[in-house]
Amino acid sequence: MTALLIDGKAAAQALRERVARAASELRQERGVTPGLAVVLVGDDPASQVYVRNKARQTLDAGMASFEHRLPADVPATTLMQLVAELNADPAVHGILVQLPLPSQIDAEAVLRAIDPAKDVDGFHPINVGLLAVGQPRFVPCTPLGCSLLLKAQRPDLAGLHAVVIGRSNIVGKPMAQLLLAEHCTVTIAHSKTRDLPAVVCQADIVIAAVGRPGMVRGNWLRPGAIVIDVGINRIAADTASGNRLVGDVNFDEALQVAAAITPVPGGVGPMTIACLLLNTLRAAAWATQWALPEAVR
Ligand code: NAD
C-alpha cells in the first residue's frame, strides 16, 4: 500500500480563498474590515518567521494586520496594558500573543487577559470550556486545521478509534475534544503512556503531536490508518543545505502502511495560519452580528 498524501498546502489555499471572499462580502455589506493584532515579545527567530507569515497572509486575505513588537525584557505590566488597549480597540477583532513568552511573564495570566470574544487562538479558559461542553466558539488553530483535513478525507468519523499522541493545551487536548465531538473513540497518549506502539496500533486515526522526529514507526500503525502528523522538527540534512523539517512520524515507513498521511512540511502547518484567518473572520462576523456565509461556517 502507498498512502495517499493529504495536501495541506492546497487545502489551506482553498480555505484562505473562501475566507478572503467572505471578508470582502463583510466589508461590502457592513463596511467592516476584519482586523488581527499579533503581539510578539522578544526576538525568537522561529516566532519572527511565524509572525511575518501571519501578517502577510492576513493582508492577502483582505484583512487588517496590526503588529506589535516588544523587547524580550518588557515588564509584564506593559504587555498587559497593550492587551487591554487591543481589547478596547473596535478595529481589532482578533488578538494573538505569540508563544512562548519570556520567563518574567506569566503566560497564563496574559492569555486570561485577552477578551474571550477576540481570542482567535482559542486558549482562553472560557473558549477551552466552550469546546469541552460541545459549544465551540474559537477552536485552537492547529487542531482545527487537522480536523478540517481529516474531514475532507473522511467526512464521517463516527465510531473510529482515534489515538492522539500528546496532551498539550495547544494541540493534543483540543484535538481530542474535536474528535470526541465527531463521535470518535478517543485515546490520549503522552510521555507516561505505557507501550505506546500497542496503543497506536489500535488506531484508525493517529494524530502525532509530540515534537520528536520520526518517533512513530511504520510498524506501529494499523494498515489503512489515517495519519495526521503535527510535529515540526528541525534536523540536520544530509546535504550541505543545512537543516530540514521532519514530522513526528517516520514518513517513509508510514507511507507503506497508512491509507493517507499528511507530509511535513506541506501538511498541517499551512492549515494553522489559514484557520487563524478563519477565526479572525468569525470574530469580526460575531462582533458585527453578520451571518457567516455557508462556505466558512
Ligand atoms: P508540547 O511539548 O507542549 O507537548 C508535547 C506532548 O508530547 C506532551 O503532551 C508530552 O506528554 C508528549 N510526549 C513527549 N514525549 C513523548 C513520548 N516519548 N511518547 C508519547 N508522548 C510524548 O508540544 P506541542 O506544542 O503540543 O507541539 C507538538 C509538536 O507539534 C511540536 O513538534 C510542535 O512544533 C508541533 N506543532 C506544530 C504546529 C503546526 O502548525 N503544524 C503547531 C503547534 C505545534
Side-chain angles (χ1 to χ4, degrees), residues 142 165-168 170-172 189-191 196 209-212 215 230-233 248 268-269 272:
T142 299
I165 319 175
R167 57 174 161 183
S168 72
I170 294 172
V171 189
H190 48 77
S191 53
L196 186 60
V210 181
R212 295 173 72 112
M215 184 187 82
V230 184
I232 299 180
N233 308 290
D248 290 340
V268 174
T272 297

Side-chain angles (χ1 to χ4, degrees), residues 57-72:
Q57 293 190 27
T58 305
L59 294 171
D60 286 351
M63 300 184 180
S65 168
F66 308 97
E67 222 177 290
H68 297 269
R69 289 171 183 263
L70 300 172

Side-chain angles (χ1 to χ4, degrees), residues 167-268:
R167 57 174 161 183
S168 72
N169 291 337
I170 294 172
V171 189
K173 283 184 203 158
M175 188 70 237
Q177 293 289 358
L178 287 173
L179 291 163
L180 208 49
E182 292 294 335
H183 312 292
C184 290
T185 302
V186 182
T187 301
I188 306 177
H190 48 77
S191 53
K192 300 281 190 260
T193 296
R194 275 180 285 168
D195 199 357
L196 186 60
V199 174
V200 172
C201 83
Q202 297 171 34
D204 303 301
I205 298 168
V206 178
I207 313 277
V210 181
R212 295 173 72 112
M215 184 187 82
V216 177
R217 306 300 304 260
N219 61 8
W220 295 15
L221 300 170
R222 168 191 272 196
I226 301 177
V227 178
I228 306 288
D229 191 350
V230 184
I232 299 180
N233 308 290
R234 202 169 284 282
I235 62 166
D238 308 333
T239 60
S241 59
N243 294 332
R244 69 186 178 104
L245 294 182
V246 297
D248 290 340
V249 177
N250 183 313
F251 183 74
D252 293 338
E253 291 178 4
L255 213 49
Q256 308 306 318
V257 190
I261 183 169
T262 56
V264 178
V268 174

Side-chain angles (χ1 to χ4, degrees), residues 79-80 97 99-113:
L79 177 56
M80 288 301 222
V97 177
L99 302 177
L101 288 169
S103 56
Q104 82 275 13
I105 291 172
D106 177 354
E108 293 302 324
V110 174
L111 296 181
R112 278 197 303 273

